[in-house]
Amino acid sequence: MNNSTVHEKHTMSKFLKLAHKFNSFYLNGFQKKECRAFIVDGIQVGLVRATVTIELSRYPNVFIINPNSVTLNPAFRDYDERSANIESVLKDMKDKKLFITLKGWRDECYEVRTMFADQPLLKMDRSATCLFGICNYGVDINGYVNHPQKGLCIWLQQRSFTKQTWPGKWDNMVAGGLSVGYNIIETAHKEGEEEASLTADLMKNLHSAGTVSFFYESERGLFPDTEFVFDLELPPEFVPCNQDNEVEKFELLTACETINRILSPDFKTTSCPVIIDFLIRHGVINPENEPRFPELVELLHVPLQSLYTKYDNVRTENGLSKGE
Amino acid sequence: MNNSTVHEKHTMSKFLKLAHKFNSFYLNGFQKKECRAFIVDGIQVGLVRATVTIELSRYPNVFIINPNSVTLNPAFRDYDERSANIESVLKDMKDKKLFITLKGWRDECYEVRTMFADQPLLKMDRSATCLFGICNYGVDINGYVNHPQKGLCIWLQQRSFTKQTWPGKWDNMVAGGLSVGYNIIETAHKEGEEEASLTADLMKNLHSAGTVSFFYESERGLFPDTEFVFDLELPPEFVPCNQDNEVEKFELLTACETINRILSPDFKTTSCPVIIDFLIRHGVINPENEPRFPELVELLHVPLQSLYTKYDNVRTENGLSKGE
């Protein structure tokens, strides 16, 4: 009996359906083993699809392709050398217009490592990490209001229609990727100011509330993602104001309206975990209205930090060694 | 490289060490595959250690033992028949004093199923579920005070010295297993009243805040466990008062004192996940003071709901079918 059969024995709630959607690779893709492990310095840091492997095989000085792995040439001995060699390949592939995701080249890099606490092995433009299944890290701020009449209300943003990814979709009030050079708190403050004009005074209420982890797959690539989640209670009279032209508009929604919004096709799929986690922590989604509550919570925290190391274990048990 | 090697590359924080302790089976035992799958009605619902299997093999009318599985006789066709047959075996083993855990026979049953949303297949005395690696479910109430001088404070209880399990250890303010006949909210109210005299008026503030899931192993047995977590803000003047003689005393601790308490050997290991989750959701443990924060959060939500179904997948892939 495979995993999806087991899950489908029960009626899936609307939230669980969403959790399956933003975990499409974790629940369905991962088991197929159609991807090759991406190995850097003897450690798996990602996964590469067959379509990407074909293109990487055109750079034999950079990548060593084997039946189960794509290995970055071990001759590149340090962070800078690895980063520079990958960048030249990616820029070449970008110029050849091979992958839609590279159209969104950002000149903004993410660190590449297996676990968050690892020393980064290289950096890579954020538009390219999905080609290698590199875990992305980001920061999200749930801006909320305890409204005297409407109760718990949540600020959402509509993304600008000119954005490369998810244009015009509804999204969390403030969210941003953890780029090279910024730590978590710096990213929260930077994005809070740029996206919603959150002043230092308002940000005094900011508090860390955990993480969500999920593994999404789309036609663009593979998206293992961990978001550092912050809650920020805002005064009822505050209205966010965008500064970086990446936001179309903001709207303050009641908890009920927020649920309808995340369930609509107008919401960015990969931003749903943060909102669902917020609604769970604040008691809106609870075991009385969600029969598969433990499953939903687990699907907001899938084990990304050990996924590639475990994957290695399975492969090794099956007689495939890492470097082959 | 196995999982523990990867983890040990980094210095483990004190919280991560605790998370490894309460996930001893998830991180170390599970991979060893020394246990047999426990199969009921064609579905894996648990795991049985070799020492338990030997004893179960003395009841060939009840259990069918194979190299990779222990199957409850499929001739028992319904919930009542399965429950009665298991109970007679367990009572016999209890009389023979074979397993220390059965000394704590409670005449209080837990439901047996693979996932929380499944229809229960049978019930079993709560003292025996760890012999079969059955997932336990419980309810916890974090009673806390926003103290005008001391800030966030948390009520903890010291367990009675006469308790069968973890006597005299420190524990969450209110916690109780989800027994046959009680739903989650009923259990919260029942335990809140019995353990701490929480009145209906105080309980109006109770709010659901999620779940924690972990998989602990001790000399007694295997403990996959999911706790439904509730937060309850209490007025500074309230003092909990025990009614059922299961509590030695209560104490109100600051956040800092709470951390020292859970890190001491005087705290019940399997109650730490609920407190750590509380401290994370309230910003006390955060990415600035915990370098391995994503890993810690993931180890509070290990994928128990899909663990046995995935385990089946691995076994099936290796050419072992379920019923063998």
Side-chain angles (χ1 to χ4, degrees), chain B residues 245-266:
Chain B
N245 292 318
E246 298 203 352
V247 178
E248 184 66 24
K249 61 171 181 266
F250 289 98
E251 198 177 323
L252 185 66
L253 283 80
T254 64
C256 186
E257 290 166 342
T258 303
I259 287 173
N260 290 334
R261 192 64 56 89
I262 62 170
L263 294 172
S264 85
D266 302 331

PDB file of all heavy atoms in Angstrom, chain B residues 245-266:
ATOM      1  N   ASN B 245      -4.807  12.950  43.739  1.00  0.00           N
ATOM      2  CA  ASN B 245      -3.640  12.371  44.432  1.00  0.00           C
ATOM      3  C   ASN B 245      -2.540  11.882  43.501  1.00  0.00           C
ATOM      4  O   ASN B 245      -1.706  11.080  43.891  1.00  0.00           O
ATOM      5  CB  ASN B 245      -4.052  11.213  45.353  1.00  0.00           C
ATOM      6  CG  ASN B 245      -4.864  11.721  46.530  1.00  0.00           C
ATOM      7  OD1 ASN B 245      -4.530  12.751  47.110  1.00  0.00           O
ATOM      8  ND2 ASN B 245      -5.935  11.020  46.864  1.00  0.00           N
ATOM      9  N   GLU B 246      -2.546  12.364  42.255  1.00  0.00           N
ATOM     10  CA  GLU B 246      -1.480  11.959  41.334  1.00  0.00           C
ATOM     11  C   GLU B 246      -0.373  13.011  41.251  1.00  0.00           C
ATOM     12  O   GLU B 246       0.593  12.845  40.523  1.00  0.00           O
ATOM     13  CB  GLU B 246      -2.070  11.670  39.946  1.00  0.00           C
ATOM     14  CG  GLU B 246      -3.075  10.516  39.985  1.00  0.00           C
ATOM     15  CD  GLU B 246      -3.258   9.828  38.644  1.00  0.00           C
ATOM     16  OE1 GLU B 246      -2.732  10.315  37.645  1.00  0.00           O
ATOM     17  OE2 GLU B 246      -3.950   8.792  38.625  1.00  0.00           O
ATOM     18  N   VAL B 247      -0.566  14.094  42.012  1.00  0.00           N
ATOM     19  CA  VAL B 247       0.385  15.203  41.953  1.00  0.00           C
ATOM     20  C   VAL B 247       0.981  15.439  43.341  1.00  0.00           C
ATOM     21  O   VAL B 247       0.266  15.470  44.340  1.00  0.00           O
ATOM     22  CB  VAL B 247      -0.317  16.487  41.461  1.00  0.00           C
ATOM     23  CG1 VAL B 247       0.661  17.668  41.434  1.00  0.00           C
ATOM     24  CG2 VAL B 247      -0.921  16.283  40.069  1.00  0.00           C
ATOM     25  N   GLU B 248       2.320  15.582  43.387  1.00  0.00           N
ATOM     26  CA  GLU B 248       2.998  15.884  44.651  1.00  0.00           C
ATOM     27  C   GLU B 248       2.843  17.361  44.988  1.00  0.00           C
ATOM     28  O   GLU B 248       2.407  17.721  46.071  1.00  0.00           O
ATOM     29  CB  GLU B 248       4.486  15.513  44.509  1.00  0.00           C
ATOM     30  CG  GLU B 248       5.318  15.673  45.760  1.00  0.00           C
ATOM     31  CD  GLU B 248       4.915  14.706  46.880  1.00  0.00           C
ATOM     32  OE1 GLU B 248       4.336  13.651  46.584  1.00  0.00           O
ATOM     33  OE2 GLU B 248       5.160  15.043  48.064  1.00  0.00           O
ATOM     34  N   LYS B 249       3.225  18.222  44.024  1.00  0.00           N
ATOM     35  CA  LYS B 249       3.014  19.667  44.203  1.00  0.00           C
ATOM     36  C   LYS B 249       3.097  20.404  42.868  1.00  0.00           C
ATOM     37  O   LYS B 249       3.490  19.833  41.850  1.00  0.00           O
ATOM     38  CB  LYS B 249       4.040  20.234  45.194  1.00  0.00           C
ATOM     39  CG  LYS B 249       5.499  20.104  44.817  1.00  0.00           C
ATOM     40  CD  LYS B 249       6.352  20.918  45.807  1.00  0.00           C
ATOM     41  CE  LYS B 249       7.827  20.859  45.474  1.00  0.00           C
ATOM     42  NZ  LYS B 249       8.539  19.809  46.206  1.00  0.00           N
ATOM     43  N   PHE B 250       2.682  21.661  42.887  1.00  0.00           N
ATOM     44  CA  PHE B 250       2.793  22.544  41.717  1.00  0.00           C
ATOM     45  C   PHE B 250       3.773  23.664  42.030  1.00  0.00           C
ATOM     46  O   PHE B 250       3.959  24.042  43.197  1.00  0.00           O
ATOM     47  CB  PHE B 250       1.426  23.163  41.381  1.00  0.00           C
ATOM     48  CG  PHE B 250       0.430  22.193  40.805  1.00  0.00           C
ATOM     49  CD1 PHE B 250      -0.544  21.609  41.613  1.00  0.00           C
ATOM     50  CD2 PHE B 250       0.453  21.879  39.448  1.00  0.00           C
ATOM     51  CE1 PHE B 250      -1.471  20.728  41.080  1.00  0.00           C
ATOM     52  CE2 PHE B 250      -0.472  21.000  38.913  1.00  0.00           C
ATOM     53  CZ  PHE B 250      -1.434  20.420  39.735  1.00  0.00           C
ATOM     54  N   GLU B 251       4.369  24.223  40.969  1.00  0.00           N
ATOM     55  CA  GLU B 251       5.290  25.348  41.158  1.00  0.00           C
ATOM     56  C   GLU B 251       5.212  26.259  39.940  1.00  0.00           C
ATOM     57  O   GLU B 251       5.128  25.780  38.801  1.00  0.00           O
ATOM     58  CB  GLU B 251       6.713  24.789  41.326  1.00  0.00           C
ATOM     59  CG  GLU B 251       7.694  25.765  41.955  1.00  0.00           C
ATOM     60  CD  GLU B 251       9.084  25.133  42.175  1.00  0.00           C
ATOM     61  OE1 GLU B 251       9.161  23.927  42.525  1.00  0.00           O
ATOM     62  OE2 GLU B 251      10.071  25.844  41.970  1.00  0.00           O
ATOM     63  N   LEU B 252       5.206  27.575  40.180  1.00  0.00           N
ATOM     64  CA  LEU B 252       5.202  28.552  39.081  1.00  0.00           C
ATOM     65  C   LEU B 252       6.640  28.993  38.826  1.00  0.00           C
ATOM     66  O   LEU B 252       7.301  29.533  39.713  1.00  0.00           O
ATOM     67  CB  LEU B 252       4.331  29.757  39.451  1.00  0.00           C
ATOM     68  CG  LEU B 252       4.142  30.811  38.351  1.00  0.00           C
ATOM     69  CD1 LEU B 252       3.354  30.257  37.174  1.00  0.00           C
ATOM     70  CD2 LEU B 252       3.446  32.060  38.903  1.00  0.00           C
ATOM     71  N   LEU B 253       7.113  28.738  37.590  1.00  0.00           N
ATOM     72  CA  LEU B 253       8.513  29.021  37.259  1.00  0.00           C
ATOM     73  C   LEU B 253       8.595  30.097  36.175  1.00  0.00           C
ATOM     74  O   LEU B 253       7.748  30.149  35.289  1.00  0.00           O
ATOM     75  CB  LEU B 253       9.213  27.755  36.736  1.00  0.00           C
ATOM     76  CG  LEU B 253       9.625  26.696  37.768  1.00  0.00           C
ATOM     77  CD1 LEU B 253       8.426  25.847  38.159  1.00  0.00           C
ATOM     78  CD2 LEU B 253      10.721  25.801  37.203  1.00  0.00           C
ATOM     79  N   THR B 254       9.629  30.917  36.240  1.00  0.00           N
ATOM     80  CA  THR B 254       9.892  31.838  35.129  1.00  0.00           C
ATOM     81  C   THR B 254      10.344  31.008  33.922  1.00  0.00           C
ATOM     82  O   THR B 254      10.683  29.825  34.051  1.00  0.00           O
ATOM     83  CB  THR B 254      11.026  32.826  35.477  1.00  0.00           C
ATOM     84  OG1 THR B 254      12.234  32.069  35.671  1.00  0.00           O
ATOM     85  CG2 THR B 254      10.701  33.614  36.746  1.00  0.00           C
ATOM     86  N   ALA B 255      10.379  31.648  32.750  1.00  0.00           N
ATOM     87  CA  ALA B 255      10.813  30.943  31.539  1.00  0.00           C
ATOM     88  C   ALA B 255      12.217  30.372  31.731  1.00  0.00           C
ATOM     89  O   ALA B 255      12.489  29.215  31.360  1.00  0.00           O
ATOM     90  CB  ALA B 255      10.774  31.891  30.345  1.00  0.00           C
ATOM     91  N   CYS B 256      13.091  31.157  32.334  1.00  0.00           N
ATOM     92  CA  CYS B 256      14.475  30.729  32.544  1.00  0.00           C
ATOM     93  C   CYS B 256      14.542  29.532  33.507  1.00  0.00           C
ATOM     94  O   CYS B 256      15.252  28.556  33.260  1.00  0.00           O
ATOM     95  CB  CYS B 256      15.269  31.919  33.079  1.00  0.00           C
ATOM     96  SG  CYS B 256      17.005  31.586  33.229  1.00  0.00           S
ATOM     97  N   GLU B 257      13.769  29.601  34.585  1.00  0.00           N
ATOM     98  CA  GLU B 257      13.720  28.471  35.532  1.00  0.00           C
ATOM     99  C   GLU B 257      13.125  27.225  34.866  1.00  0.00           C
ATOM    100  O   GLU B 257      13.555  26.096  35.140  1.00  0.00           O
ATOM    101  CB  GLU B 257      12.873  28.857  36.759  1.00  0.00           C
ATOM    102  CG  GLU B 257      13.525  29.888  37.667  1.00  0.00           C
ATOM    103  CD  GLU B 257      12.554  30.512  38.670  1.00  0.00           C
ATOM    104  OE1 GLU B 257      11.312  30.424  38.457  1.00  0.00           O
ATOM    105  OE2 GLU B 257      13.024  31.114  39.642  1.00  0.00           O
ATOM    106  N   THR B 258      12.144  27.435  33.983  1.00  0.00           N
ATOM    107  CA  THR B 258      11.530  26.300  33.279  1.00  0.00           C
ATOM    108  C   THR B 258      12.566  25.593  32.413  1.00  0.00           C
ATOM    109  O   THR B 258      12.635  24.359  32.381  1.00  0.00           O
ATOM    110  CB  THR B 258      10.357  26.791  32.398  1.00  0.00           C
ATOM    111  OG1 THR B 258       9.429  27.483  33.228  1.00  0.00           O
ATOM    112  CG2 THR B 258       9.664  25.638  31.696  1.00  0.00           C
ATOM    113  N   ILE B 259      13.391  26.386  31.721  1.00  0.00           N
ATOM    114  CA  ILE B 259      14.444  25.801  30.886  1.00  0.00           C
ATOM    115  C   ILE B 259      15.391  24.967  31.750  1.00  0.00           C
ATOM    116  O   ILE B 259      15.700  23.814  31.412  1.00  0.00           O
ATOM    117  CB  ILE B 259      15.211  26.912  30.127  1.00  0.00           C
ATOM    118  CG1 ILE B 259      14.328  27.468  29.000  1.00  0.00           C
ATOM    119  CG2 ILE B 259      16.529  26.390  29.558  1.00  0.00           C
ATOM    120  CD1 ILE B 259      14.893  28.678  28.287  1.00  0.00           C
ATOM    121  N   ASN B 260      15.823  25.517  32.874  1.00  0.00           N
ATOM    122  CA  ASN B 260      16.716  24.753  33.759  1.00  0.00           C
ATOM    123  C   ASN B 260      16.051  23.475  34.257  1.00  0.00           C
ATOM    124  O   ASN B 260      16.696  22.434  34.367  1.00  0.00           O
ATOM    125  CB  ASN B 260      17.162  25.615  34.943  1.00  0.00           C
ATOM    126  CG  ASN B 260      18.115  26.711  34.502  1.00  0.00           C
ATOM    127  OD1 ASN B 260      18.802  26.570  33.493  1.00  0.00           O
ATOM    128  ND2 ASN B 260      18.128  27.811  35.240  1.00  0.00           N
ATOM    129  N   ARG B 261      14.752  23.546  34.536  1.00  0.00           N
ATOM    130  CA  ARG B 261      14.028  22.371  35.030  1.00  0.00           C
ATOM    131  C   ARG B 261      13.954  21.266  33.971  1.00  0.00           C
ATOM    132  O   ARG B 261      14.225  20.096  34.256  1.00  0.00           O
ATOM    133  CB  ARG B 261      12.615  22.780  35.486  1.00  0.00           C
ATOM    134  CG  ARG B 261      11.837  21.751  36.268  1.00  0.00           C
ATOM    135  CD  ARG B 261      12.453  21.374  37.614  1.00  0.00           C
ATOM    136  NE  ARG B 261      12.697  22.481  38.515  1.00  0.00           N
ATOM    137  CZ  ARG B 261      11.833  22.969  39.412  1.00  0.00           C
ATOM    138  NH1 ARG B 261      10.648  22.412  39.555  1.00  0.00           N
ATOM    139  NH2 ARG B 261      12.149  23.979  40.192  1.00  0.00           N
ATOM    140  N   ILE B 262      13.601  21.634  32.716  1.00  0.00           N
ATOM    141  CA  ILE B 262      13.485  20.566  31.695  1.00  0.00           C
ATOM    142  C   ILE B 262      14.855  19.986  31.341  1.00  0.00           C
ATOM    143  O   ILE B 262      14.941  18.843  30.906  1.00  0.00           O
ATOM    144  CB  ILE B 262      12.738  21.002  30.398  1.00  0.00           C
ATOM    145  CG1 ILE B 262      13.443  22.129  29.664  1.00  0.00           C
ATOM    146  CG2 ILE B 262      11.288  21.349  30.684  1.00  0.00           C
ATOM    147  CD1 ILE B 262      12.873  22.406  28.271  1.00  0.00           C
ATOM    148  N   LEU B 263      15.913  20.761  31.548  1.00  0.00           N
ATOM    149  CA  LEU B 263      17.254  20.249  31.254  1.00  0.00           C
ATOM    150  C   LEU B 263      17.805  19.396  32.391  1.00  0.00           C
ATOM    151  O   LEU B 263      18.817  18.719  32.233  1.00  0.00           O
ATOM    152  CB  LEU B 263      18.217  21.403  30.965  1.00  0.00           C
ATOM    153  CG  LEU B 263      17.916  22.211  29.696  1.00  0.00           C
ATOM    154  CD1 LEU B 263      18.818  23.440  29.622  1.00  0.00           C
ATOM    155  CD2 LEU B 263      18.073  21.354  28.440  1.00  0.00           C
ATOM    156  N   SER B 264      17.130  19.412  33.550  1.00  0.00           N
ATOM    157  CA  SER B 264      17.609  18.625  34.686  1.00  0.00           C
ATOM    158  C   SER B 264      17.097  17.189  34.577  1.00  0.00           C
ATOM    159  O   SER B 264      16.092  16.936  33.919  1.00  0.00           O
ATOM    160  CB  SER B 264      17.126  19.251  35.995  1.00  0.00           C
ATOM    161  OG  SER B 264      15.821  18.784  36.296  1.00  0.00           O
ATOM    162  N   PRO B 265      17.786  16.248  35.219  1.00  0.00           N
ATOM    163  CA  PRO B 265      17.317  14.848  35.166  1.00  0.00           C
ATOM    164  C   PRO B 265      16.014  14.637  35.928  1.00  0.00           C
ATOM    165  O   PRO B 265      15.437  13.552  35.875  1.00  0.00           O
ATOM    166  CB  PRO B 265      18.478  14.070  35.795  1.00  0.00           C
ATOM    167  CG  PRO B 265      19.281  15.076  36.550  1.00  0.00           C
ATOM    168  CD  PRO B 265      19.042  16.410  35.947  1.00  0.00           C
ATOM    169  N   ASP B 266      15.539  15.680  36.622  1.00  0.00           N
ATOM    170  CA  ASP B 266      14.301  15.553  37.403  1.00  0.00           C
ATOM    171  C   ASP B 266      13.042  15.740  36.558  1.00  0.00           C
ATOM    172  O   ASP B 266      11.931  15.678  37.093  1.00  0.00           O
ATOM    173  CB  ASP B 266      14.277  16.606  38.531  1.00  0.00           C
ATOM    174  CG  ASP B 266      15.462  16.466  39.451  1.00  0.00           C
ATOM    175  OD1 ASP B 266      15.959  15.321  39.593  1.00  0.00           O
ATOM    176  OD2 ASP B 266      15.914  17.486  40.008  1.00  0.00           O
TER     177      ASP B 266
END
